[in-house]
Amino acid sequence: MVDIPNEVLPSAMRDKWGWFVGLGILLLICGGIALGNLFIATVASVYYVGMLMLIGGIVHLAHAFQVRGWEHILFWVLSGLLYTLAGVLAFTNPLLASEALTLFLAIALLIAGTFRVWVGRKVKPESGWFWIVISGVATAIAGIAIALGWPVNSLWVLGLFLAFDLIFQGWTQVAFGLFLRR
């Protein structure tokens, strides 16, 4: 039997340090472009989510006819139709989809932040618990800020998140590649 290691060999990664730096630079450029036009980045985000929902809906519908029993078929067909309709909505009315996704993001951040504060207080005797609470408060405040600016901020919030993610991922890849080079 062949023993396949679970880890990538460090020397193999070191040899490819330039690819990490190149990918990082490409991500930084894409993040800068997104940051330069948050509206277009928001629409691109909505189209991406819409495409995923459309594909998911089609897969659900195809799966529905593989399930035995009417009660199961009905569930999968309804689920598939809902996903498909949401995907179509994202393409036909990206601004409305942007509003819905931005509101969902605000609610998710508020819930995640509140949960993180609760977890931080639960582990209070441990050192560093305060940082978990601070992180939760910051996340909850971000959710509240997005909710207070909704629906007007729906034109740029998703694009801003996409731009920041691309920029942070870019810097991470560049730093990792340069670290491998050493």
Side-chain angles (χ1 to χ4, degrees):
M1 179 176 256
V2 178
D3 185 26
I4 300 173
N6 291 332
E7 300 174 2
V8 176
L9 297 174
S11 63
M13 287 180 58
R14 278 193 198 99
D15 293 341
K16 304 293 183 192
W17 70 270
W19 286 98
F20 288 102
V21 172
L23 174 63
I25 291 170
L26 180 64
L27 290 170
L28 284 169
I29 291 168
C30 290
I33 292 169
L35 198 56
N37 194 336
L38 295 176
F39 176 73
I40 296 297
T42 295
V43 173
S45 301
V46 169
Y47 282 160
Y48 177 73
V49 171
M51 178 186 61
L52 293 176
M53 294 185 88
L54 195 56
I55 291 169
I58 292 168
V59 169
H60 270 76
L61 289 171
H63 178 70
F65 298 104
Q66 303 300 318
V67 179
R68 302 286 182 235
W70 280 103
E71 64 277 359
H72 299 293
I73 290 175
L74 184 62
F75 167 76
W76 287 105
V77 167
L78 290 176
S79 180
L81 287 175
L82 182 62
Y83 267 95
T84 303
L85 288 174
V88 168
L89 173 68
F91 283 102
T92 58
N93 194 343
L95 296 180
L96 180 61
S98 165
E99 288 179 11
L101 289 172
T102 302
L103 182 60
F104 178 73
L105 176 65
I107 292 168
L109 288 172
L110 184 57
I111 291 170
T114 303
F115 180 71
R116 202 172 297 146
V117 167
W118 178 77
V119 167
R121 296 199 29 93
K122 285 293 197 185
V123 298
K124 188 174 182 177
E126 300 297 326
S127 65
W129 68 271
F130 186 71
W131 292 109
I132 298 172
V133 171
I134 293 295
S135 168
V137 168
T139 302
I141 289 173
I144 291 169
I146 291 170
L148 290 176
W150 185 82
V152 175
N153 62 6
S154 300
L155 298 174
W156 57 268
V157 165
L158 298 176
L160 183 67
F161 273 68
L162 175 64
F164 279 165
D165 182 60
L166 289 169
I167 290 168
F168 282 115
Q169 288 300 317
W171 280 117
T172 301
Q173 294 297 322
V174 168
F176 185 67
L178 293 176
F179 180 76
L180 286 174
R181 183 176 181 217
R182 290 184 198 173

